[in-house]
Amino acid sequence: MVDSNREQGQGTIASQELRDIVRQQLQGLLEINDYQGAKVLLQPVQYPDIAEAIEGLPETLQALAFRLLPKDEAIEVYEYLDSTVQQALIDELRSQDVLDLVEQMSPDDRVRLFDELPAKIVRRLLQQLSPAEREITSLLLGCGTGTAGRLMTPEYVALKEGMTGDQALARVRLMAPRTETIYTLYVTDVSRRLTGILSLRELLVAPPEDSIGALMTRDVISVHTDTDQEEVARVIQRYDLLAVPVVDREERLVGIVTVDDVIDILEEEATEDIYTLGGVQSGEDDYFQTNLLTVARRRVVWLFVLLITNTGTSAVISSQEDVLSKVVALAAFIPLLIGTGGNVGAQSSTVVIRGLNTDRLRSMNPMTIVSRELIAGALLGVMLAAVVTVWAFLLERNWQVAIAVGFSLLVISILASTAGSVLPLVFKRLGLDPALMSAPFITTVVDVAGVFVYLQLARAILGLN
Amino acid sequence: MVDSNREQGQGTIASQELRDIVRQQLQGLLEINDYQGAKVLLQPVQYPDIAEAIEGLPETLQALAFRLLPKDEAIEVYEYLDSTVQQALIDELRSQDVLDLVEQMSPDDRVRLFDELPAKIVRRLLQQLSPAEREITSLLLGCGTGTAGRLMTPEYVALKEGMTGDQALARVRLMAPRTETIYTLYVTDVSRRLTGILSLRELLVAPPEDSIGALMTRDVISVHTDTDQEEVARVIQRYDLLAVPVVDREERLVGIVTVDDVIDILEEEATEDIYTLGGVQSGEDDYFQTNLLTVARRRVVWLFVLLITNTGTSAVISSQEDVLSKVVALAAFIPLLIGTGGNVGAQSSTVVIRGLNTDRLRSMNPMTIVSRELIAGALLGVMLAAVVTVWAFLLERNWQVAIAVGFSLLVISILASTAGSVLPLVFKRLGLDPALMSAPFITTVVDVAGVFVYLQLARAILGLN
């Protein structure tokens, strides 16, 4: 949410070190019961920094510090607190204070809080809200998690086409204290359908007697209540918007999503991508508040999938044991070969997956991508194989083994870079997240194929059978 | 950059499919020389979508399509084009058209273009710019790449403390067509030092006769010209700002950075993290425009580092060859053990690295993080070892081998999760990017340690020496 203070930043920016000092001083003052001193300390501090300071206090002092804040400031600070601290405060504060707080939060932040609270408490709080706020909150809670409807706030300025510029400006002034943004204005018809859009900039420079209908732009970029939040973020990013209007199935305007929420979403989505790439289930965002058994249970699923794939390597080696028993020196290079292959594959899949997920590769022919990666893999394979062949000879003093190792590395590099580009593309085509074809998975696939290639090549070069 | 049209979105949003159709139709119309038809086609299309359509055209048609755009629209579209297409157009268009284009671009976009153009062309264009634009551009070009000074635009509204609200509003109206944003207003003293800040919202609701000095907020969040762009992005994200003012060493206001630029920076930074995690050098953003030999040369550096680490595994196995030659069945499980260990380590390092790079783990004690990961690794190790022991027995029908495999996996899991959390933390402490301790690196470290643990344990359990 945006409010007039935060739009422009109240208080000077504090570096991490200064913020830590504030937290320590706050704790010191509270411990000696110097509440007046604590109030004065926090006066010039920004809301997000006050929130951080409160989060850093021992639990027993959090509610105490929070109660020192002036009422209007308390709401702002509350919206910046971590959900665990928000919940703790709900338990600690007097129920009238809680109600005042929740009543005055902006609807989008309120819904985010409700998502975290126990159902029983949510039901009680909903009942105690004013009818207007209750209705808005129920509307938002009714939309699916991760959709535009969940993110939006219904606090926008709506104009009518028949208004003059002057009338519109008067309405903006009237609504300003109660809306998320006044910088984009929305024009609706009698049935609340969105018919146009106007920036405050355009309104300010237009002749005051012109009608809104004449000033507004009729082609409006909008999203639906059920649009996925990542798509909402991409729309705001692509068209450099400050806010995007959200309409329901009848094209009626029901809310707006602002750019500040979108920044957080893009960061969440990047974290999700990185987690998937690392073989971690997303939703581990709250990892460090989660029970360790839950963490292990979540992670083990993916590890078992990889383990099953990897039993293939044991089966392959086991079936080729005769080669190894004749030339046991070959075993020394298995980890090196599959490890390097895995790394080559990881590079290819990283570039391709990120390109697909940020739409950078959209306009490229998949065949071009794969053949580029194949050639890159071959080039890398030649360079690496040259070095490894020499190293293998120095270690084992056996040219045949050395050549088998070097030649295998070349083949494995090509396989790995091809797999690293083909598999994400196939997943994309199937409508799945390409990030699932991540480094760990590619590595495991390359392991199985790599061992097979190596032992077969060694068999041929060393003349075993 | 933000302009009044784009702030609110002109034209309706087009899905990917619709955008592809526009591109095909545009190409078709140009090929039959139906320029009027092409103009009509593009009229309701958004600027970023026009830019995408032009990028998708064959090179010979790009300049043709671009020349069809009305002059003011052409500048907007040009700023959205890929830098390669921007450069191609500079070569194709008449030099007067180029000059008009460059003269009218916003300074931040102009500097981004100049960064990509050959020095000779930049010098010529700079000379031909109007003195005012030349001075601004030189100022921005003088700041280091990746700093606030490079990103900022000098097009903001500055007020004086002595103005009344009414006078200020008149000034906003006057400046509106020529500034990036009018929604945050900056107050400076006679020596251009930033003394306060005011949102347009506050100005609109304030009594018209109040002085700006009384209305403004004196505690201003600002950044310096040499502040790193990621830091700028974090400031805007943390404080939910629409723009942040940039001051020079004498605290004089020299420009502002707007939120839309910050979204792109955060995306770039996420890509950089993901690339580092995948063992790809950053700067591969332009990968698909880069020569393949260059790509291979960039990637091979990291592969060689990993290769050298991995020669450790060969050395370890080679030195323990006697164990393998006595029980060759042991070799079958090497890839499975180190592969699984690598995956466990990748999960730990992914969570820790992302946490460090998004400041989520800032307030946590490093010992807590490591011990959590250690316990998680132990839990995962027990679960995986149970399965693997059974699988190993089924494959080799040898309980001693099976127990050696299972027990090794437990030890390797603990090692891997500990290494996956400790190494990024150490790198962070040393002031290096924790993402360098990424999955490929952790995997390789675990390979060496894992092989050693496995063969030593097997030696003990099987009673070999």
Side-chain angles (χ1 to χ4, degrees), chain B residues 296-314:
Chain B
R297 213 171 41 225
R298 277 197 202 145
R299 286 194 194 173
V300 87
V301 178
W302 192 220
L303 290 174
F304 271 127
V305 172
L306 295 173
L307 188 63
I308 290 166
T309 321
N310 224 329
T311 54
T313 53
S314 320

Side-chain angles (χ1 to χ4, degrees), chain A residues 1 4 6-13 16 19-20 46 48-49 52 80 169 173 176 179-183 197 199-202 204-205 217 219-222 234-235 237-241 259-260 263-264 266-267 270-271 274 277-280 285 287-288 290 292 296 299-300 303-304 306-307 311 314 317-318 321 324 328-329 331-332 334-336 338 340 343 347-348 350-351 354 358 360-362 364 372-373 375 380 387-388 391 396 440, chain B residues 1 4 6-13 16 19-20 46 48-49 52 80 169 173 176 179-183 197 199-202 204-205 217 219-222 234-235 237-241 259-260 263-264 266-267 270-271 274 277-280 285 287-288 290 292 296 299-300 303-304 306-307 311 314 317-318 321 324 328-329 331-332 334-336 338 340 343 347-348 350-351 354 358 360-362 364 372-373 380 387-388 391 396 440:
Chain A
M1 75 138 270
S4 57
R6 272 181 284 156
E7 269 165 26
Q8 36 130 314
Q10 188 189 58
T12 40
I13 175 167
Q16 190 57 60
R19 297 206 300 259
D20 287 341
Q46 299 277 342
D49 299 336
E52 193 185 271
Y80 278 107
L169 199 55
R173 286 196 159 109
T179 54
E180 234 357 70
T181 183
I182 59 166
Y183 302 139
I197 201 167
S199 72
L200 181 57
R201 188 198 293 247
E202 287 165 313
L204 275 182
V205 298
T217 306
D219 298 317
V220 185
I221 291 181
S222 61
R234 295 270 164 233
V235 167
Q237 181 183 22
R238 181 177 179 88
Y239 299 101
D240 287 341
L241 306 176
V259 66
D260 55 317
I263 293 182
D264 300 332
L266 288 172
E267 180 149 307
T271 299
I274 288 174
L277 287 170
V280 184
D285 228 346
Y287 162 64
F288 286 95
T290 311
L292 268 176
R299 286 194 194 171
V300 86
L303 290 174
F304 270 127
L306 295 173
L307 187 64
T311 53
S314 321
I317 297 178
S318 195
E321 235 166 55
L324 285 178
V328 77
I334 292 178
L336 182 141
I338 60 179
T340 307
N343 293 333
Q347 291 182 329
S348 294
T350 300
V351 172
R354 183 64 181 164
T358 54
R360 284 192 158 269
L361 297 187
R362 214 196 53 76
M364 273 194 96
R372 274 188 73 99
E373 285 303 321
I375 296 168
L380 292 170
V387 176
V388 164
W391 156 253
E396 297 290 344
Chain B
M1 74 140 271
S4 57
R6 272 182 284 155
E7 269 164 25
Q8 37 132 308
Q10 190 189 57
T12 40
I13 175 166
Q16 191 57 62
R19 297 206 299 259
D20 287 341
Q46 301 277 343
D49 299 336
E52 191 185 272
Y80 278 107
L169 200 54
R173 286 197 159 106
T179 53
E180 260 312 271
T181 182
I182 58 166
Y183 302 138
I197 201 168
S199 72
L200 180 58
R201 188 200 292 247
E202 287 166 312
L204 275 181
V205 298
T217 306
D219 298 317
V220 185
I221 291 181
S222 62
R234 295 271 163 231
V235 168
Q237 181 184 22
R238 180 177 178 89
Y239 299 101
D240 287 342
L241 307 175
V259 64
D260 55 317
I263 292 181
D264 299 332
L266 288 173
E267 180 148 307
T271 299
I274 288 173
L277 287 171
V280 184
D285 229 344
Y287 161 63
F288 286 95
T290 312
L292 269 176
R299 286 194 194 173
V300 87
L303 290 174
F304 271 127
L306 295 173
L307 188 63
T311 54
S314 320
I317 297 177
S318 196
E321 235 166 53
L324 285 178
V328 78
I334 292 179
L336 182 141
I338 61 180
T340 307
N343 293 334
Q347 291 183 329
S348 293
T350 300
V351 172
R354 183 64 180 163
T358 54
R360 284 190 157 269
L361 297 188
R362 212 196 55 74
M364 271 194 97
R372 274 188 72 99
E373 285 303 320
L380 292 169
V387 176
V388 163
W391 155 254
E396 298 291 343

